[in-house]
Amino acid sequence: MAKKFQLTKKEIKQEIIKCGKDPVYFINTYGRISHPLHGLVPFKTFPFQTDLLQSFNDYRFNIILKARQLGISTISAAYVLWLMMFYREKNVLVIATQFKTAKNLVKKVKQIMKNLPAWMQITKITIDNSASFELSNGSQIKASSTSGDAGRSEALSLLVIDEAAHIENMNELWAGLYPTISTGGRVIALSTPKGVGNWFHKVCEEAGQGTNDFQLTTLPWHLHPERD
């Protein structure tokens, strides 16, 4: 373990290249997160979280039907950080049921970055606000409300929709947001279920049938290894 803190310049370069190629390696090796009981702990992904990171990388559109408290918002935040750090000029937008929920995901991205080893912080925060921040490599992230004009004027690299089933005007939002990702942007939509007929339910159903572009991941409560 001591090697992580005593790397030569050559080893540092090799580690940065390795991390840039593999978000799973980056997060499991250098990620640290705040645990409610144990404080700052290493981020060690469970198998279902590792699979999800692979899906984020392999598929442009991801939709996740999940149980509560599986750490999916946190794993999404870690992936967002990897994307922003290792790729220049990435523009990420986060929307959620409530503005404070979207702000919290942005905060998680920032916290994971600040807890990286100093030599791994290959880009710096240049503009820092409670609901957004920008990096010196041109990448940026911001939280947005679910108003009808959310993100409409921007070309997005990644759109994250948290608790998508619970956003009342999601059909209208999607109609406005889809053009912002039409040039190659990616989507991560995650939510606990809420009835039938809403945007999230329809997209999940179509993804399960293979009739849209979304990759569906279903994560039931019992997947978490600390539950029985």
Side-chain angles (χ1 to χ4, degrees):
M1 295 296 290
K3 182 184 176 185
K4 290 181 186 178
F5 307 98
Q6 299 175 0
L7 297 176
T8 65
K9 288 184 178 180
K10 182 179 179 180
E11 287 173 327
I12 286 174
K13 183 178 179 180
Q14 289 172 339
E15 280 298 292
I16 290 172
I17 291 171
K18 189 172 182 179
C19 288
K21 290 180 178 178
D22 186 355
V24 176
Y25 176 78
F26 166 66
I27 292 164
N28 278 288
T29 309
Y30 298 105
R32 291 187 293 172
I33 54 173
S34 296
H35 189 280
L37 299 177
H38 307 298
L40 197 63
V41 298
F43 198 149
K44 299 301 180 185
T45 56
F46 297 121
F48 69 90
Q49 293 173 325
T50 301
D51 291 344
L52 198 55
L53 284 170
Q54 200 63 54
S55 288
F56 290 166
N57 232 18
D58 292 346
Y59 301 99
R60 187 177 161 205
F61 296 93
N62 279 275
I63 191 159
I64 301 107
L65 174 62
K66 68 182 188 70
R68 296 187 183 278
Q69 302 300 318
L70 290 177
I72 305 308
S73 293
T74 304
I75 203 73
S76 299
Y79 178 78
V80 168
L81 174 61
W82 173 81
L83 183 72
M84 291 177 63
M85 276 185 56
F86 292 100
Y87 292 86
R88 301 179 64 86
E89 305 290 340
K90 292 299 182 182
N91 188 13
V92 182
L93 179 70
V94 182
I95 64 172
T97 43
Q98 299 180 353
F99 182 52
K100 67 178 182 180
T101 305
K103 280 176 63 176
N104 189 49
L105 198 146
V106 172
K107 182 181 177 182
K108 286 181 179 180
V109 177
K110 192 186 305 179
Q111 284 178 332
I112 297 170
M113 180 175 180
K114 289 183 175 180
N115 288 320
L116 291 172
W119 57 265
M120 179 55 73
Q121 296 183 33
I122 56 175
T123 182
K124 305 297 181 183
I125 295 175
T126 54
I127 301 176
D128 192 355
N129 299 303
S130 62
S132 65
F133 67 92
E134 295 183 22
L135 300 179
S136 55
N137 68 357
S139 292
Q140 60 181 315
I141 182 173
K142 76 174 184 178
S144 175
S145 67
T146 53
S147 62
D149 60 350
R152 285 189 183 222
S153 63
E154 305 179 53
L156 298 177
S157 310
L158 175 63
L159 170 65
V160 181
I161 311 170
D162 199 354
E163 287 296 357
H166 302 263
I167 299 174
E168 292 184 1
N169 59 330
M170 191 58 220
N171 283 313
E172 176 190 348
L173 268 175
W174 180 248
L177 285 166
Y178 185 76
T180 70
I181 56 170
S182 60
T183 55
R186 292 171 172 260
V187 179
I188 298 173
L190 54 136
S191 188
T192 52
K194 185 187 178 183
V196 298
N198 55 61
W199 178 88
F200 183 78
H201 173 257
K202 289 177 181 176
V203 174
C204 284
E205 287 286 297
E206 291 170 359
Q209 297 164 6
T211 56
N212 65 19
D213 294 329
F214 279 86
Q215 171 70 13
L216 172 65
T217 302
T218 303
L219 302 173
W221 184 84
H222 62 77
L223 270 184
H224 198 294
E226 295 175 5
R227 297 173 181 165
D228 59 27

PDB file of all heavy atoms in Angstrom, residues 96-118:
ATOM      1  N   ALA A  96     -32.622  16.653 -11.221  1.00  0.00           N
ATOM      2  CA  ALA A  96     -33.228  15.712 -10.280  1.00  0.00           C
ATOM      3  C   ALA A  96     -34.604  16.225  -9.885  1.00  0.00           C
ATOM      4  O   ALA A  96     -35.023  17.314 -10.300  1.00  0.00           O
ATOM      5  CB  ALA A  96     -32.336  15.550  -9.046  1.00  0.00           C
ATOM      6  N   THR A  97     -35.284  15.450  -9.053  1.00  0.00           N
ATOM      7  CA  THR A  97     -36.617  15.846  -8.587  1.00  0.00           C
ATOM      8  C   THR A  97     -36.569  17.196  -7.891  1.00  0.00           C
ATOM      9  O   THR A  97     -37.426  18.042  -8.069  1.00  0.00           O
ATOM     10  CB  THR A  97     -37.173  14.806  -7.603  1.00  0.00           C
ATOM     11  OG1 THR A  97     -36.122  14.414  -6.706  1.00  0.00           O
ATOM     12  CG2 THR A  97     -37.695  13.595  -8.313  1.00  0.00           C
ATOM     13  N   GLN A  98     -35.555  17.383  -7.076  1.00  0.00           N
ATOM     14  CA  GLN A  98     -35.365  18.645  -6.375  1.00  0.00           C
ATOM     15  C   GLN A  98     -33.981  19.196  -6.703  1.00  0.00           C
ATOM     16  O   GLN A  98     -33.027  18.441  -6.878  1.00  0.00           O
ATOM     17  CB  GLN A  98     -35.504  18.450  -4.856  1.00  0.00           C
ATOM     18  CG  GLN A  98     -36.869  17.951  -4.430  1.00  0.00           C
ATOM     19  CD  GLN A  98     -36.953  17.763  -2.917  1.00  0.00           C
ATOM     20  OE1 GLN A  98     -35.960  17.876  -2.203  1.00  0.00           O
ATOM     21  NE2 GLN A  98     -38.148  17.484  -2.436  1.00  0.00           N
ATOM     22  N   PHE A  99     -33.874  20.508  -6.756  1.00  0.00           N
ATOM     23  CA  PHE A  99     -32.597  21.143  -7.079  1.00  0.00           C
ATOM     24  C   PHE A  99     -31.514  20.730  -6.077  1.00  0.00           C
ATOM     25  O   PHE A  99     -30.364  20.485  -6.455  1.00  0.00           O
ATOM     26  CB  PHE A  99     -32.777  22.661  -7.089  1.00  0.00           C
ATOM     27  CG  PHE A  99     -31.537  23.420  -7.469  1.00  0.00           C
ATOM     28  CD1 PHE A  99     -30.834  23.114  -8.623  1.00  0.00           C
ATOM     29  CD2 PHE A  99     -31.075  24.451  -6.674  1.00  0.00           C
ATOM     30  CE1 PHE A  99     -29.694  23.811  -8.986  1.00  0.00           C
ATOM     31  CE2 PHE A  99     -29.927  25.159  -7.023  1.00  0.00           C
ATOM     32  CZ  PHE A  99     -29.242  24.833  -8.177  1.00  0.00           C
ATOM     33  N   LYS A 100     -31.881  20.589  -4.802  1.00  0.00           N
ATOM     34  CA  LYS A 100     -30.881  20.230  -3.792  1.00  0.00           C
ATOM     35  C   LYS A 100     -30.351  18.814  -4.002  1.00  0.00           C
ATOM     36  O   LYS A 100     -29.204  18.515  -3.661  1.00  0.00           O
ATOM     37  CB  LYS A 100     -31.445  20.382  -2.379  1.00  0.00           C
ATOM     38  CG  LYS A 100     -32.550  19.416  -2.007  1.00  0.00           C
ATOM     39  CD  LYS A 100     -32.999  19.640  -0.561  1.00  0.00           C
ATOM     40  CE  LYS A 100     -34.066  18.642  -0.151  1.00  0.00           C
ATOM     41  NZ  LYS A 100     -34.514  18.849   1.257  1.00  0.00           N
ATOM     42  N   THR A 101     -31.164  17.922  -4.584  1.00  0.00           N
ATOM     43  CA  THR A 101     -30.700  16.572  -4.904  1.00  0.00           C
ATOM     44  C   THR A 101     -29.652  16.615  -6.008  1.00  0.00           C
ATOM     45  O   THR A 101     -28.627  15.937  -5.943  1.00  0.00           O
ATOM     46  CB  THR A 101     -31.886  15.678  -5.332  1.00  0.00           C
ATOM     47  OG1 THR A 101     -32.882  15.695  -4.307  1.00  0.00           O
ATOM     48  CG2 THR A 101     -31.436  14.251  -5.570  1.00  0.00           C
ATOM     49  N   ALA A 102     -29.909  17.434  -7.027  1.00  0.00           N
ATOM     50  CA  ALA A 102     -28.928  17.606  -8.106  1.00  0.00           C
ATOM     51  C   ALA A 102     -27.650  18.247  -7.568  1.00  0.00           C
ATOM     52  O   ALA A 102     -26.533  17.837  -7.907  1.00  0.00           O
ATOM     53  CB  ALA A 102     -29.526  18.458  -9.223  1.00  0.00           C
ATOM     54  N   LYS A 103     -27.786  19.246  -6.700  1.00  0.00           N
ATOM     55  CA  LYS A 103     -26.626  19.903  -6.090  1.00  0.00           C
ATOM     56  C   LYS A 103     -25.806  18.903  -5.270  1.00  0.00           C
ATOM     57  O   LYS A 103     -24.579  18.964  -5.244  1.00  0.00           O
ATOM     58  CB  LYS A 103     -27.077  21.050  -5.188  1.00  0.00           C
ATOM     59  CG  LYS A 103     -27.428  22.326  -5.902  1.00  0.00           C
ATOM     60  CD  LYS A 103     -27.946  23.378  -4.937  1.00  0.00           C
ATOM     61  CE  LYS A 103     -26.912  23.788  -3.915  1.00  0.00           C
ATOM     62  NZ  LYS A 103     -27.396  24.882  -3.038  1.00  0.00           N
ATOM     63  N   ASN A 104     -26.491  17.993  -4.596  1.00  0.00           N
ATOM     64  CA  ASN A 104     -25.796  17.004  -3.770  1.00  0.00           C
ATOM     65  C   ASN A 104     -24.936  16.080  -4.624  1.00  0.00           C
ATOM     66  O   ASN A 104     -23.832  15.692  -4.215  1.00  0.00           O
ATOM     67  CB  ASN A 104     -26.808  16.189  -2.962  1.00  0.00           C
ATOM     68  CG  ASN A 104     -26.142  15.309  -1.926  1.00  0.00           C
ATOM     69  OD1 ASN A 104     -25.299  15.761  -1.151  1.00  0.00           O
ATOM     70  ND2 ASN A 104     -26.509  14.030  -1.898  1.00  0.00           N
ATOM     71  N   LEU A 105     -25.399  15.709  -5.818  1.00  0.00           N
ATOM     72  CA  LEU A 105     -24.593  14.865  -6.691  1.00  0.00           C
ATOM     73  C   LEU A 105     -23.347  15.618  -7.174  1.00  0.00           C
ATOM     74  O   LEU A 105     -22.256  15.059  -7.221  1.00  0.00           O
ATOM     75  CB  LEU A 105     -25.427  14.366  -7.870  1.00  0.00           C
ATOM     76  CG  LEU A 105     -24.835  13.151  -8.598  1.00  0.00           C
ATOM     77  CD1 LEU A 105     -25.955  12.239  -9.108  1.00  0.00           C
ATOM     78  CD2 LEU A 105     -23.935  13.536  -9.760  1.00  0.00           C
ATOM     79  N   VAL A 106     -23.518  16.900  -7.492  1.00  0.00           N
ATOM     80  CA  VAL A 106     -22.370  17.723  -7.874  1.00  0.00           C
ATOM     81  C   VAL A 106     -21.378  17.800  -6.716  1.00  0.00           C
ATOM     82  O   VAL A 106     -20.153  17.707  -6.907  1.00  0.00           O
ATOM     83  CB  VAL A 106     -22.827  19.142  -8.293  1.00  0.00           C
ATOM     84  CG1 VAL A 106     -21.632  20.060  -8.494  1.00  0.00           C
ATOM     85  CG2 VAL A 106     -23.659  19.081  -9.563  1.00  0.00           C
ATOM     86  N   LYS A 107     -21.899  17.939  -5.506  1.00  0.00           N
ATOM     87  CA  LYS A 107     -21.040  17.990  -4.314  1.00  0.00           C
ATOM     88  C   LYS A 107     -20.248  16.699  -4.152  1.00  0.00           C
ATOM     89  O   LYS A 107     -19.068  16.716  -3.792  1.00  0.00           O
ATOM     90  CB  LYS A 107     -21.907  18.244  -3.076  1.00  0.00           C
ATOM     91  CG  LYS A 107     -21.126  18.361  -1.776  1.00  0.00           C
ATOM     92  CD  LYS A 107     -22.064  18.592  -0.597  1.00  0.00           C
ATOM     93  CE  LYS A 107     -21.303  18.633   0.715  1.00  0.00           C
ATOM     94  NZ  LYS A 107     -22.214  18.816   1.881  1.00  0.00           N
ATOM     95  N   LYS A 108     -20.882  15.557  -4.439  1.00  0.00           N
ATOM     96  CA  LYS A 108     -20.193  14.267  -4.339  1.00  0.00           C
ATOM     97  C   LYS A 108     -19.031  14.190  -5.330  1.00  0.00           C
ATOM     98  O   LYS A 108     -17.951  13.694  -5.001  1.00  0.00           O
ATOM     99  CB  LYS A 108     -21.159  13.114  -4.606  1.00  0.00           C
ATOM    100  CG  LYS A 108     -22.126  12.829  -3.475  1.00  0.00           C
ATOM    101  CD  LYS A 108     -23.033  11.651  -3.817  1.00  0.00           C
ATOM    102  CE  LYS A 108     -24.000  11.339  -2.689  1.00  0.00           C
ATOM    103  NZ  LYS A 108     -24.889  10.195  -3.015  1.00  0.00           N
ATOM    104  N   VAL A 109     -19.254  14.670  -6.553  1.00  0.00           N
ATOM    105  CA  VAL A 109     -18.189  14.680  -7.561  1.00  0.00           C
ATOM    106  C   VAL A 109     -16.994  15.474  -7.035  1.00  0.00           C
ATOM    107  O   VAL A 109     -15.840  15.035  -7.103  1.00  0.00           O
ATOM    108  CB  VAL A 109     -18.689  15.291  -8.887  1.00  0.00           C
ATOM    109  CG1 VAL A 109     -17.556  15.363  -9.912  1.00  0.00           C
ATOM    110  CG2 VAL A 109     -19.848  14.473  -9.451  1.00  0.00           C
ATOM    111  N   LYS A 110     -17.288  16.650  -6.480  1.00  0.00           N
ATOM    112  CA  LYS A 110     -16.235  17.536  -5.981  1.00  0.00           C
ATOM    113  C   LYS A 110     -15.498  16.903  -4.791  1.00  0.00           C
ATOM    114  O   LYS A 110     -14.266  16.972  -4.702  1.00  0.00           O
ATOM    115  CB  LYS A 110     -16.864  18.861  -5.561  1.00  0.00           C
ATOM    116  CG  LYS A 110     -15.865  19.972  -5.294  1.00  0.00           C
ATOM    117  CD  LYS A 110     -16.565  21.212  -4.744  1.00  0.00           C
ATOM    118  CE  LYS A 110     -17.671  21.689  -5.652  1.00  0.00           C
ATOM    119  NZ  LYS A 110     -18.363  22.876  -5.096  1.00  0.00           N
ATOM    120  N   GLN A 111     -16.230  16.258  -3.898  1.00  0.00           N
ATOM    121  CA  GLN A 111     -15.611  15.644  -2.723  1.00  0.00           C
ATOM    122  C   GLN A 111     -14.672  14.506  -3.114  1.00  0.00           C
ATOM    123  O   GLN A 111     -13.587  14.373  -2.553  1.00  0.00           O
ATOM    124  CB  GLN A 111     -16.692  15.127  -1.774  1.00  0.00           C
ATOM    125  CG  GLN A 111     -17.384  16.215  -0.977  1.00  0.00           C
ATOM    126  CD  GLN A 111     -18.474  15.674  -0.075  1.00  0.00           C
ATOM    127  OE1 GLN A 111     -19.092  14.632  -0.366  1.00  0.00           O
ATOM    128  NE2 GLN A 111     -18.732  16.357   1.014  1.00  0.00           N
ATOM    129  N   ILE A 112     -15.104  13.682  -4.069  1.00  0.00           N
ATOM    130  CA  ILE A 112     -14.245  12.573  -4.506  1.00  0.00           C
ATOM    131  C   ILE A 112     -12.962  13.125  -5.109  1.00  0.00           C
ATOM    132  O   ILE A 112     -11.864  12.615  -4.857  1.00  0.00           O
ATOM    133  CB  ILE A 112     -14.987  11.659  -5.503  1.00  0.00           C
ATOM    134  CG1 ILE A 112     -16.198  11.009  -4.827  1.00  0.00           C
ATOM    135  CG2 ILE A 112     -14.044  10.565  -6.026  1.00  0.00           C
ATOM    136  CD1 ILE A 112     -17.133  10.290  -5.796  1.00  0.00           C
ATOM    137  N   MET A 113     -13.085  14.193  -5.878  1.00  0.00           N
ATOM    138  CA  MET A 113     -11.893  14.793  -6.482  1.00  0.00           C
ATOM    139  C   MET A 113     -10.946  15.333  -5.415  1.00  0.00           C
ATOM    140  O   MET A 113      -9.727  15.113  -5.466  1.00  0.00           O
ATOM    141  CB  MET A 113     -12.295  15.920  -7.437  1.00  0.00           C
ATOM    142  CG  MET A 113     -11.086  16.576  -8.092  1.00  0.00           C
ATOM    143  SD  MET A 113     -11.537  17.808  -9.319  1.00  0.00           S
ATOM    144  CE  MET A 113      -9.898  18.321  -9.847  1.00  0.00           C
ATOM    145  N   LYS A 114     -11.476  16.049  -4.442  1.00  0.00           N
ATOM    146  CA  LYS A 114     -10.634  16.665  -3.410  1.00  0.00           C
ATOM    147  C   LYS A 114      -9.955  15.632  -2.519  1.00  0.00           C
ATOM    148  O   LYS A 114      -8.940  15.941  -1.874  1.00  0.00           O
ATOM    149  CB  LYS A 114     -11.473  17.635  -2.573  1.00  0.00           C
ATOM    150  CG  LYS A 114     -11.860  18.898  -3.334  1.00  0.00           C
ATOM    151  CD  LYS A 114     -12.626  19.877  -2.474  1.00  0.00           C
ATOM    152  CE  LYS A 114     -12.879  21.170  -3.216  1.00  0.00           C
ATOM    153  NZ  LYS A 114     -13.625  22.156  -2.393  1.00  0.00           N
ATOM    154  N   ASN A 115     -10.486  14.414  -2.462  1.00  0.00           N
ATOM    155  CA  ASN A 115      -9.904  13.362  -1.638  1.00  0.00           C
ATOM    156  C   ASN A 115      -8.945  12.459  -2.406  1.00  0.00           C
ATOM    157  O   ASN A 115      -8.440  11.476  -1.861  1.00  0.00           O
ATOM    158  CB  ASN A 115     -11.011  12.522  -0.989  1.00  0.00           C
ATOM    159  CG  ASN A 115     -11.725  13.269   0.119  1.00  0.00           C
ATOM    160  OD1 ASN A 115     -11.097  13.976   0.902  1.00  0.00           O
ATOM    161  ND2 ASN A 115     -13.036  13.133   0.181  1.00  0.00           N
ATOM    162  N   LEU A 116      -8.678  12.788  -3.674  1.00  0.00           N
ATOM    163  CA  LEU A 116      -7.668  12.057  -4.440  1.00  0.00           C
ATOM    164  C   LEU A 116      -6.266  12.443  -3.946  1.00  0.00           C
ATOM    165  O   LEU A 116      -6.072  13.531  -3.408  1.00  0.00           O
ATOM    166  CB  LEU A 116      -7.776  12.403  -5.931  1.00  0.00           C
ATOM    167  CG  LEU A 116      -9.010  11.917  -6.687  1.00  0.00           C
ATOM    168  CD1 LEU A 116      -9.021  12.541  -8.084  1.00  0.00           C
ATOM    169  CD2 LEU A 116      -9.055  10.402  -6.775  1.00  0.00           C
ATOM    170  N   PRO A 117      -5.265  11.565  -4.137  1.00  0.00           N
ATOM    171  CA  PRO A 117      -3.887  11.976  -3.869  1.00  0.00           C
ATOM    172  C   PRO A 117      -3.552  13.222  -4.685  1.00  0.00           C
ATOM    173  O   PRO A 117      -4.033  13.390  -5.810  1.00  0.00           O
ATOM    174  CB  PRO A 117      -3.059  10.774  -4.339  1.00  0.00           C
ATOM    175  CG  PRO A 117      -3.999   9.619  -4.324  1.00  0.00           C
ATOM    176  CD  PRO A 117      -5.361  10.170  -4.636  1.00  0.00           C
ATOM    177  N   ALA A 118      -2.732  14.092  -4.127  1.00  0.00           N
ATOM    178  CA  ALA A 118      -2.428  15.368  -4.790  1.00  0.00           C
ATOM    179  C   ALA A 118      -1.879  15.166  -6.197  1.00  0.00           C
ATOM    180  O   ALA A 118      -2.236  15.894  -7.134  1.00  0.00           O
ATOM    181  CB  ALA A 118      -1.438  16.163  -3.935  1.00  0.00           C
TER     182      ALA A 118
END
